Amino acid sequence: MELSKDILEQIFQLTQQVNSGRISLTAGRDELVKAFGFNPNSASMTIRSLRHLLNGERYRRALTIGATDYFLGRIREEYGNEGLRKALAGLSAHIEYRNSQDVKVPGLDTILAKHSR
């Protein structure tokens, strides 16, 4: 499924709510399933990965390059340079993890460089 800007924004908004404790992961997942027909496991993994990105933590499940780029832009808008710095640390840790699994991610390296400027 191609993730439009509207879907990415909804994922971002739901993940912020999950991250702050306003809604549960299950509620966020169910909203993505209902609104966009997501597979429940994919919806949960997407929210979890974005939560890790927001918190500057390594995540293991890949987000698309387009989604990663969008989310980093939104993180900068919402949380400023400090929030972006944290997210870039999480992305960097994700890239290191993927490389340790012998998976090259040049697109993510490009996104990391773009948002590190």
Side-chain angles (χ1 to χ4, degrees):
M1 166 190 347
E2 179 69 27
L3 298 177
S4 69
K5 186 175 177 179
D6 290 337
I7 294 172
L8 291 172
E9 183 59 29
Q10 184 71 17
I11 293 167
F12 186 77
Q13 295 293 327
L14 285 169
T15 301
Q16 284 183 302
Q17 292 177 41
V18 170
N19 205 36
S20 70
R22 286 179 284 181
I23 65 171
S24 68
L25 174 62
T26 302
R29 176 203 66 201
D30 291 348
E31 181 62 31
L32 292 178
V33 169
K34 180 181 170 189
F36 304 111
F38 268 65
N39 170 290
N41 289 332
S42 295
S44 292
M45 287 186 284
T46 299
I47 291 170
R48 282 188 184 113
S49 292
L50 179 52
R51 281 180 76 187
H52 288 302
L53 191 63
L54 282 165
N55 294 318
E57 302 164 346
R58 181 192 71 194
Y59 55 101
R60 294 183 181 150
R61 295 305 222 150
L63 298 166
T64 67
I65 292 169
T68 303
D69 187 35
Y70 180 83
F71 294 145
L72 290 172
R74 288 294 287 122
I75 289 167
R76 180 180 217 151
E77 288 173 13
E78 289 287 322
Y79 303 101
N81 289 333
E82 181 58 27
L84 179 62
R85 183 199 59 74
K86 220 158 87 169
L88 292 174
L91 176 57
S92 182
H94 174 71
I95 291 169
E96 288 174 19
Y97 167 75
R98 297 288 300 273
N99 287 337
S100 77
Q101 302 297 306
D102 292 325
V103 177
K104 302 301 176 208
V105 287
L108 291 179
D109 290 328
T110 301
I111 296 300
L112 179 64
K114 171 186 171 183
H115 287 275
S116 294
R117 292 186 231 139

